[in-house]
Amino acid sequence: MQFLKERRDVGRAIGPEQETALLKLASEPRYPDSALYPIVVLALNTAMRSQEIKTLRWSQVDLIHRSLIVGKSKTEVGSGRIIPLNQSAAAVLAMWASRTPGASPEHFVFPACENHKINPGKPIASFRTAWRNATKTAGLPGLRFHDLRHTAITKLAESLTSEQTIMAIAGHVSRRMLEHYSHIRMEAKRTAVEVISQPVSVESGAQNWAQSPNSQKAAVPNLLKTLAGTTGLEPATSCVTGRRSNRLNYVPA
C-alpha cells in the first residue's frame, strides 16, 4: 500500500452547521457568475482535490450513470479513478451544465473567465478571492479549500466506510490521515453498539453470577483469553498501527 508524504497535521474538517453556512454564502447572488457554489458542492461530495476539479472536462462526467472519472491527479494511482456521484453532486453538475448547453465534451466544466469572457478551452485559474470572502463571511476564516476534502473523508469514515473504499474514492492519503480516519471509524462503531446497550438489572442473571462462587468464574477469563487470542475480541479496522486518538470529533473552527 502506498502513502503520500506525511504532513504535520491531518487537516481541518468542518461540522454540519459550518458546512451549511459555507454553502449558503457560496450560493448568494453576490457570486452570480461564479463557479464557487458548484465547486464547493463537488468537493464536499467527492473528496476531489482543487486541481482535479479545476481540470475536469465534460467528457469525464457521466450524468446519466452518475459518475465521473478523475483526470490527472496528485498521484499516479489517483489518476483515472472513478467516483460515483451522489444526488447532491449530480444535481449541481446538471444545473451547471444547463448554463452552457453548447459545451463540447473537450470543454472544461469550470472554464476560465477573463475580462468577463469565458474561454471553455482553458480551465479556471483561481477562485481564491470568492473563496476567502465566502469563508470569512461564514465565520470560517483561514479555512483551506483542501479542508473540504478532509471533511468529505471524515464523513465517509464516520459512516463506517472501509479504508479501501475511501481510498478508491479519494485516492491515496497519508499514513497519518489514514490512521486518523481509522480512529474516527472506531468511535463511530462504539457509538453504534452503545445504542443497543441495555443496563444490567439487579434482578438479571448477571446479579446471580456476581454472587456465585469464584470457582465458577475462574473459567471465564481463560475462555475469553482463548477466544481473544493475540488480537483481542475487537476486530481490527486498520492495518496501520499508531497511538489512538481520544478526540475524534470535527475540528472546531
Side-chain angles (χ1 to χ4, degrees):
M1 185 179 293
Q2 299 178 9
F3 296 93
L4 293 181
K5 184 178 180 180
E6 292 289 345
R7 296 175 59 93
R8 291 185 177 181
D9 60 0
V10 294
R12 171 185 177 184
I14 59 177
E17 293 183 359
Q18 296 171 320
E19 184 176 328
T20 299
L22 177 60
L23 289 171
K24 181 179 179 180
L25 263 298
S27 63
E28 284 191 350
R30 73 178 74 182
Y31 308 114
D33 299 319
S34 173
L36 182 62
Y37 179 74
I39 286 177
V40 169
V41 171
L42 198 60
L44 284 170
N45 289 278
T46 64
M48 292 175 68
R49 299 180 176 89
S50 174
Q51 192 61 24
E52 294 173 345
I53 295 176
K54 289 179 182 177
T55 57
L56 185 66
R57 298 176 186 266
W58 285 115
S59 60
Q60 299 167 234
V61 179
D62 186 344
L63 291 176
I64 296 179
H65 297 95
R66 288 174 48 174
S67 66
L68 65 78
I69 301 175
V70 176
K72 185 177 181 181
S73 183
K74 187 175 181 179
T75 64
E76 182 179 351
V77 178
S79 300
R81 70 183 187 277
I82 300 176
I83 302 178
L85 297 174
N86 60 20
Q87 184 176 358
S88 297
V92 79
L93 283 175
M95 177 273 293
W96 189 250
S98 68
R99 300 181 53 167
T100 55
S104 300
E106 67 273 13
H107 287 169
F108 288 97
V109 174
F110 303 108
C113 183
E114 300 174 352
N115 300 321
H116 301 287
K117 293 183 178 181
I118 297 177
N119 182 356
K122 185 177 180 180
I124 185 173
S126 174
F127 47 87
R128 183 176 302 175
T129 300
W131 171 257
R132 286 181 176 175
N133 291 337
T135 53
K136 183 178 180 180
T137 307
L140 298 168
L143 182 72
R144 306 171 303 167
F145 184 81
H146 195 71
D147 291 330
L148 300 187
R149 171 176 166 84
H150 293 300
T151 300
I153 300 177
T154 295
K155 291 193 292 185
L156 287 173
E158 288 179 331
S159 67
L160 305 184
T161 304
S162 69
E163 291 174 0
Q164 290 77 10
T165 301
I166 288 178
M167 295 179 73
I169 294 173
H172 279 310
V173 295
S174 71
R175 183 183 300 274
R176 186 186 299 270
M177 288 169 60
L178 194 59
E179 181 182 66
H180 176 68
Y181 299 134
S182 177
H183 291 167
I184 291 176
R185 190 182 301 103
M186 177 53 68
E187 284 302 307
K189 288 181 180 180
R190 292 188 188 282
T191 300
V193 297
E194 284 298 331
V195 171
I196 63 174
S197 174
Q198 296 293 331
V200 178
S201 171
V202 293
E203 300 177 357
S204 68
Q207 174 76 3
N208 296 330
W209 177 84
Q211 297 175 352
S212 63
N214 291 335
S215 59
Q216 295 180 8
K217 304 176 188 177
V220 176
N222 293 331
L223 175 60
L224 292 177
K225 183 176 180 181
T226 301
L227 292 175
T230 59
T231 59
L233 288 172
E234 185 177 90
T237 58
S238 171
C239 60
V240 180
T241 59
R243 187 173 60 185
R244 186 175 295 278
S245 172
N246 292 323
R247 293 198 60 187
L248 303 169
N249 296 324
Y250 290 112
V251 178

